[in-house]
């Protein structure tokens, strides 16, 4: 949804909002830099701060964006570290922000990283392969109830308990190492009738493991409020989500910012109660048929965007 993202951000890619002297765009999930490249082309005066937790993605994006020279600053970090990243760069507010959530095409296509269930590969699934636990660690160490919780909550898997019990039985014989063995277990465990009508039997389990390994939902719940607070008045944010769980977090945060906090019985709305965001999309935008034809992976994508209309409300526990 590149064109839709550019259209939503366009007003702040060419002209700074009132009182802002510098156009700064932060891409909190840089990936291979496709959206960032388009933003830099659309806004010749825009400075990009690109954040990604994947060292390989940063390297490839750096090569792609090298022609923009000192207009680009790339940082190895998670998106919930956005506040620290901007503080370290001496940037108080940004004029635009973009997040493309979930797993990237790079990660899916690199077979040895274990994100894709179509190939037998090490059960890693870390977006930053230099730190943290792997999917194999989760499968081999979590208790059955915790495995079931992960599969049910993050994969919305109907047979979470049954799968968790089967995993625990199997790992007592031999620990899980590669994805092929897990896929075969899922084929045996999930009822055939469900497999015929519910897509690949490993889809939901692999999604759940990836989210757990990378703390994606918890991280996004922390990152979005931090990002919203750094948007300048008149600045804009756009978010692409690929499943309902992360989209729900985005929807609630943007809706809360776009809602007055004034008590219903207050005769006059005081300025501090006014909404601080203006929603730029009615609900969430989905891909066009043309995009689906050329990029089938976009089928589940949802795009939401908002503009900051006034200074953010004080955070809970802080003094005015």
């Amino acid at each position: 949804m590149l064109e839709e993202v550019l259209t939503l951000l366009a007003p702040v890619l060419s002209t700074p909002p009132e009182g802002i002297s510098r156009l700064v765009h932060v891409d909190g999930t840089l990936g291979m830099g496709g959206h960032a490249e388009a933003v830099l082309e659309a806004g010749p005066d825009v400075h990009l701060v690109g954040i990604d937790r994947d060292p390989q993605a940063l390297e490839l994006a750096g090569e792609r964006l090298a022609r923009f020279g000192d207009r680009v600053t790339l940082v190895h970090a998670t998106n919930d570290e956005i506040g620290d990243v901007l503080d370290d760069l001496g940037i108080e507010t940004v004029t635009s922000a973009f997040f493309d959530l979930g797993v990237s095409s790079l990660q899916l296509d690199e077979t040895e990283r274990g994100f894709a269930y179509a190939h037998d590969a090490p059960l890693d699934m870390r977006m930053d392969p230099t730190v943290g636990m792997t999917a194999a660690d989760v499968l081999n160490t979590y208790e059955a109830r915790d495995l079931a919780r992960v599969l049910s909550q993050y994969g919305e898997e109907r047979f979470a308990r049954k799968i968790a019990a089967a995993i625990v039985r199997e790992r007592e014989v031999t620990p899980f190492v590669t994805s092929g063995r897990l896929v075969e277990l899922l084929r045996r465990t999930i009822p055939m009738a469900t497999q015929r009508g519910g897509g690949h039997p490993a889809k939901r389990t692999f999604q759940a493991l990836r989210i757990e390994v990378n703390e994606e939902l918890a991280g996004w719940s922390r990152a979005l409020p931090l990002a919203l607070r750094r948007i300048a008045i008149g600045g804009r944010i756009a978010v692409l989500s690929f499943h309902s769980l992360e989209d729900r977090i985005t929807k609630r945060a943007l809706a809360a910012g776009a809602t007055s906090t004034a008590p219903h019985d207050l005769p006059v709305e005081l300025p501090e109660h006014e909404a601080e965001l203006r929603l730029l999309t009615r609900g969430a935008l989905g891909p066009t048929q043309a995009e689906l034809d050329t990029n089938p992976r976009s089928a589940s994508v949802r795009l939401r965007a908002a503009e900051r209309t006034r200074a953010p409300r004080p955070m809970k526990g802080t003094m005015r």
Side-chain angles (χ1 to χ4, degrees), residues 224-225 228 247-258 277 279:
L224 182 54
L228 288 173
D247 181 55
R248 191 176 305 145
I249 295 169
T250 305
K251 175 183 177 180
R252 288 175 176 172
L254 297 188
L277 300 177
L279 301 182

Side-chain angles (χ1 to χ4, degrees), residues 247-320:
D247 181 55
R248 191 176 305 145
I249 295 169
T250 305
K251 175 183 177 180
R252 288 175 176 172
L254 297 188
T259 303
S260 170
T261 59
H264 294 298
D265 57 353
L266 198 68
V268 178
E269 183 182 49
L270 300 176
E272 60 263 32
H273 291 300
E274 293 176 358
E276 60 184 61
L277 300 177
R278 178 173 70 89
L279 301 182
L280 299 175
T281 59
R282 294 187 65 179
L285 302 181
T288 62
Q289 187 59 53
E291 174 144 8
L292 288 171
D293 291 341
T294 58
N295 180 21
R297 287 177 177 173
S298 69
S300 63
V301 71
R302 295 294 179 266
L303 171 61
R304 297 183 188 272
E307 178 183 50
R308 177 162 292 289
T309 54
R310 73 172 185 87
R313 300 168 185 133
M315 296 183 69
K316 292 181 179 180
T318 63
M319 298 295 290
R320 287 185 174 276

Side-chain angles (χ1 to χ4, degrees), residues 173-190:
V173 178
T174 307
F176 284 88
V177 177
T178 62
S179 57
R181 183 173 167 224
L182 176 61
V183 170
E184 286 306 310
L185 178 147
L186 293 167
R187 289 190 187 279
R188 296 194 309 268
T189 306
I190 295 175

